[in-house]
Amino acid sequence: MERLTTAAARNIFYGGSVFFFVVFAALVANSYVQARTMERTHPISAAVAHGKRVWEQKACFDCHTLYGEGARFAPEIGKVWLKYGGDSDPAAAEDALKSWFAAQPTGVAGRHQMPQFHLSDADLHDLIAFLRWTSSINTQDWPPRPAAN
Amino acid sequence: MKYQSQRVALPYFVGALTIFTLQLVFGLIGAAMYVDPLLISPNILPFSVVRMIHTNALIVWLLLGFFGSTFYLLPEETERELHSPRLALVQFWVFFAAAAFTVVGYLFGNYGGRSYLEQPMVVKVGIVLVALMFLYNCSVTALRGRRTVITGILLLGLWGIAVFFLFAFYDPANVVIDKMFWWWVVHLWVEGVWELVMASILAFLLIKLTGVDREVVEKWLYVIIGTALFSGILGTGHHYYWIGAPAYWQWIGTIFSAVEPLPFFAMVIFAFAMVWKGRRTHPNGAALLWSLGCAVTAFFGAGLLGFLHTLAPINYYTHGTQLTAAHGHLSFYGAYAMVNLAMFTYAMPPLLGRAPYRQRLNIVSFWILTGGVALMSAALMFAGLLQTHLERVLGQPYMDVQPQLTLFYWIRLIGGVITASGLVLYLVAILVPGRRKVPVASGLVPAE
C-alpha cells in the first residue's frame, strides 16, 4: 500500500473498470444473441407479449418469483404450466389455471392471500400463454425440486 | 457551515427521513401480513402494493439522502457555492411531489413495470428530468471549483446511477433478455455505482471527523472502488444463473462474486485505520459511530450474507428463498441507509447553526436501529435456511412450507418493531435539537 501512488491507483481503477465492463458487455451480447435464437423454436406470439404486460401491470412479481426473482410471498411460477400438465394436455391446464384464478382469494386462515384481479377472458388467456412460454426456458435445471416450486 | 448554499441539503434530509418513516410503516404492514395473511383483505391492500411501497420508498429516500449529501459536501470540496441553489430546491420539490404522487397512485392500482421499477412512465421520465437537473448543477459546480478525488468519484457514481437508470425504459417481451437488462439497473446500481457514492461520502466524513490527511484517503478510495467495480461488474453473473442465460455465467458469477466482499472488507480496514491515524477527536462522536457502523454492517450484510448464497452450487438451492430477503435487509441498511444516517448526524448541527446536540440519544438510536435490522435479518436467515431444506431438498410445496416458518416471521416482525422504535428515537435526536441553543465554538470548526 505504501509503494502504490495515488496516480497509479487511479489509473488501475479506470483501466480495470473499462476492461471488465467491455468483457461484461461482450458476454451479455453473446447471451442476448442466444436468447433471441431461442425465439425461433419458441416464438413470442402477440398473446405471450401481451400476457407479459398483464403480469407487469398487476405486479405479480411483487408476491411471486419468476425463475426465483421477485417477492417471496407466493410460489415460484416459472414452470407452473408444467405442474398443471400443460405439456401433455394444454386445454385442460388452461381451464384448471382459469378456475384457480377465479377462486382467489381463498380466505383460508393462515394461507397467503391473492387478490381477485377480475381479468378479462382475453387477458387471462394471454397471461396463461405467457406462463406457458416461460415454462419452455432452459433454466439450467433450476429449481432442484420442480414438483415443489 | 462555511457556504450558504449548503443549506439546500436541509429539505433533502428531512424529506429523506419522512420517506424512511413511510418505508418502515409499510415494512411493518408487510411483516404483519406474513404472520397473519387474513389481516387485510387482498382486494383492499394486497401484499404486492405493500412491498412495492416498501421497496420504492427505500430507493427514493436513499436517493434523496445521496442528493442532499452531495449538495452538502460539494461546496466544501470544491471551495465554492453551488452553481444554483434555487435549481436544487426546485429539484427537491419535483422529486418529492413525484414520490408522493407515485405512492398514492400505487394505493389506487396505478402501477406497472418490473420489480422496483413499478413507477408509471410519466414518473420515470420525471426521474430522468430530476437527474438531469441534479447532474447539471453538481457538474458545473465541480468543474468550476477545486477538483478533489472525492468529488470526482462521487460524480462518477451519480452519473452512473443516471445512465444505468435508462435501462428502466427497455422492457422487451423476451423475459430472459428483460431480466438480463433489468439487472443493469438493479445490480449495477447497488453492487456498482452506489458503492462509489457510499465510499466517497464515507471518505468525506472520515476526513472531517478524524482530521486524517486527504492524500491517504484518496489512495484508499481508489483501491476500494477498484475492487468494487472489478468484482461487481462481472459479479452481475450471479443473477444470470437460472434465468435462461447460458451456463457459463455460473463460472463467471461464482469467481467474481467470491471477490465481492473485498471492497467492503477494505472499507472496514480503511475506516478504522483512519480513526487510528487521525489526530483529532471531533465533538460529533455519534457521526463517527454511524460512519464506522456503516462500514462494519455493510461488510456483514453485503459482504458476508451476500457471499453466503452467491456461489452457483449453493445458490442453486437457496435462490429465491427468504435468504435473499435476509441479505437484502442487512446490506441495504448497512451500506446505504447507514451512510445516509451518518451524514445526517454529521451535517444537521452545522445546518442548524449549532454544536452537536442530543448525542447520547442518537447513539442509543444507532444501537436500537442496528439491533432491530440485525434481528430481522437473522430471523429471515433461519427462515431461508429452513425453507431451502424443506422446499429445495425435501421437495415440499411452497404453500406447505410457509406455515412452518411462522415462528421466524414473528421474530422478524418483532425485529421490525424494534427498528421502528429506533427510528423514532433517531428522528427525535436529529429533528428536535432542543430549545437551549449552543453556539458553535471556534474550536469545533471541521478539519480540512
Side-chain angles (χ1 to χ4, degrees):
Chain A
M1 200 66 188
E2 293 300 322
R3 266 185 289 171
L4 181 74
T5 66
T6 303
R10 184 193 58 212
N11 295 341
I12 292 170
F13 164 70
Y14 281 110
S17 299
V18 169
F19 170 77
F20 283 111
F21 194 80
V22 168
V23 172
F24 175 64
L27 287 168
V28 169
N30 173 271
S31 304
Y32 174 88
V33 170
Q34 292 199 31
R36 291 305 300 262
T37 310
M38 186 190 63
E39 288 176 25
R40 276 188 225 143
T41 46
H42 301 91
I44 298 175
S45 64
V48 172
H50 179 248
K52 181 169 181 282
R53 297 291 168 243
V54 176
W55 160 265
E56 288 167 357
Q57 277 155 14
K58 299 301 173 191
C60 307
F61 52 82
D62 266 316
C63 287
H64 293 273
T65 52
L66 173 57
Y67 309 145
E69 293 175 355
R72 294 142 203 96
F73 193 71
E76 158 73 23
I77 51 77
K79 308 273 177 181
V80 72
W81 176 252
L82 304 179
K83 256 189 356 190
Y84 276 76
D87 46 349
S88 52
D89 191 350
E94 179 158 347
D95 284 345
L97 277 165
K98 278 182 175 166
S99 46
W100 186 85
F101 271 100
Q104 305 305 319
T106 61
V108 176
R111 237 176 128 79
H112 295 184
Q113 297 297 308
M114 177 164 137
Q116 176 51 254
F117 287 109
H118 301 292
L119 293 176
S120 69
D121 270 351
D123 281 355
L124 205 47
H125 170 81
D126 292 355
L127 181 58
I128 292 169
F130 170 66
L131 293 176
R132 183 178 182 172
W133 190 86
T134 63
S135 74
S136 68
I137 294 299
N138 173 12
T139 54
Q140 313 292 340
D141 286 331
W142 190 89
R145 292 281 179 273
N149 293 115
Chain B
M1 204 178 68
K2 277 182 166 174
Y3 299 89
Q4 281 308 308
S5 56
Q6 285 179 288
R7 204 175 289 278
V8 297
L10 195 58
Y12 282 89
F13 293 166
V14 176
L17 287 171
T18 310
I19 295 184
F20 186 16
T21 309
L22 180 79
Q23 186 212 343
L24 286 207
V25 168
F26 278 84
L28 287 174
I29 296 173
M33 282 174 155
Y34 262 100
V35 297
D36 181 8
L38 294 188
L39 189 66
I40 303 170
S41 163
N43 293 332
I44 296 167
L45 183 64
F47 179 84
S48 52
V49 171
V50 174
R51 177 186 187 259
M52 197 182 297
I53 296 176
H54 180 61
T55 56
N56 282 222
L58 166 73
I59 297 164
V60 168
W61 90 256
L62 293 178
L63 287 176
L64 277 172
F66 289 161
F67 292 154
S69 301
T70 305
F71 286 135
Y72 183 84
L73 70 80
L74 211 49
E76 286 189 22
E77 287 291 303
T78 59
E79 297 184 329
R80 55 173 290 131
E81 296 285 356
L82 287 176
H83 173 62
S84 172
R86 181 173 295 179
L87 185 63
L89 283 177
V90 171
Q91 182 209 330
F92 169 78
W93 285 110
V94 171
F95 194 48
F96 198 76
F101 169 79
T102 305
V103 169
V104 174
Y106 284 173
L107 291 170
F108 290 95
N110 182 24
Y111 45 76
R114 276 86 49 80
S115 194
Y116 313 132
L117 303 174
E118 296 94 341
Q119 309 85 27
M121 183 57 75
V122 57
V123 174
K124 287 199 180 86
V125 174
I127 292 171
V128 172
L129 289 178
V130 162
L132 286 175
M133 277 188 232
F134 174 72
L135 291 170
Y136 164 75
N137 207 355
C138 295
S139 302
V140 170
T141 310
L143 285 174
R144 290 186 183 157
R146 179 179 67 150
R147 310 274 176 90
T148 68
V149 173
I150 288 180
T151 45
I153 291 171
L154 179 61
L155 283 177
L156 182 65
L158 294 165
W159 273 95
I161 290 177
V163 168
F164 289 118
F165 180 73
L166 296 178
F167 287 93
F169 293 95
Y170 178 56
D171 185 9
N174 184 322
V175 79
V176 178
I177 297 170
D178 164 12
K179 280 173 173 287
M180 277 198 311
F181 285 99
W182 177 75
W183 284 113
W184 281 51
V185 188
V186 178
H187 175 95
L188 292 181
W189 267 26
V190 299
E191 289 171 69
V193 290
W194 280 36
E195 285 184 42
L196 307 197
V197 175
M198 174 201 176
S200 47
I201 294 176
L202 211 50
F204 171 82
L205 286 170
L206 287 167
I207 288 178
K208 298 292 170 182
L209 293 169
T210 69
V212 79
D213 279 346
R214 187 176 281 278
E215 286 68 30
V216 185
V217 169
E218 289 175 346
K219 197 162 68 178
W220 268 98
L221 208 47
Y222 278 122
V223 171
I224 289 168
I225 62 170
T227 50
L229 290 195
F230 298 172
S231 63
I233 293 172
L234 282 168
T236 314
H238 64 226
H239 301 294
Y240 291 176
Y241 295 159
W242 329 114
I243 62 166
Y248 55 70
W249 287 110
Q250 291 178 38
W251 283 100
I252 295 164
T254 297
I255 291 167
F256 285 88
S257 301
V259 193
E260 276 197 71
L262 203 61
F264 291 105
F265 184 67
M267 262 191 268
V268 175
I269 303 292
F270 162 64
F272 282 93
M274 294 309 105
V275 174
W276 284 321
K277 275 193 181 181
R279 294 171 307 276
R280 90 181 21 239
T281 308
H282 194 278
N284 198 334
L288 186 62
L289 178 65
W290 278 108
S291 305
L292 294 175
C294 167
V296 172
T297 314
F299 173 67
F300 280 104
L304 286 188
L305 276 186
F307 180 72
L308 190 70
H309 63 154
T310 199
L311 308 181
I314 298 172
N315 189 260
Y316 180 64
Y317 291 97
T318 60
H319 181 56
T321 65
Q322 294 292 346
L323 271 182
T324 309
H327 159 59
H329 279 78
L330 199 62
S331 58
F332 262 106
Y333 173 74
Y336 302 125
M338 285 177 95
V339 76
N340 272 311
L341 299 178
M343 190 67 177
F344 303 166
T345 300
Y346 170 75
M348 281 303 279
L351 282 172
L352 299 178
R354 288 165 179 262
Y357 52 84
R358 293 212 196 278
Q359 289 276 297
R360 195 172 303 167
L361 185 64
N362 195 317
I363 289 168
V364 169
S365 80
F366 167 92
W367 290 107
I368 296 180
L369 263 165
T370 308
V373 179
L375 182 62
M376 281 198 285
S377 276
L380 289 172
M381 207 174 81
F382 280 101
L385 287 171
L386 190 54
Q387 185 185 11
T388 300
H389 181 69
L390 296 174
E391 255 181 58
R392 301 293 164 70
V393 180
L394 300 183
Q396 295 181 17
Y398 172 94
M399 289 302 269
D400 295 351
V401 171
Q402 286 303 308
Q404 304 179 59
L405 307 178
T406 304
L407 171 67
F408 300 106
Y409 291 146
W410 269 111
I411 298 172
R412 189 265 297 269
L413 179 59
I414 293 166
V417 171
I418 295 172
T419 307
S421 48
L423 175 63
V424 171
L425 298 182
Y426 182 85
L427 291 176
V428 174
I430 289 292
L431 300 176
V432 190
R435 229 173 290 169
R436 196 166 66 91
K437 187 162 178 167
V438 185
V440 184
S442 56
L444 304 183
V445 175
E448 281 311 307

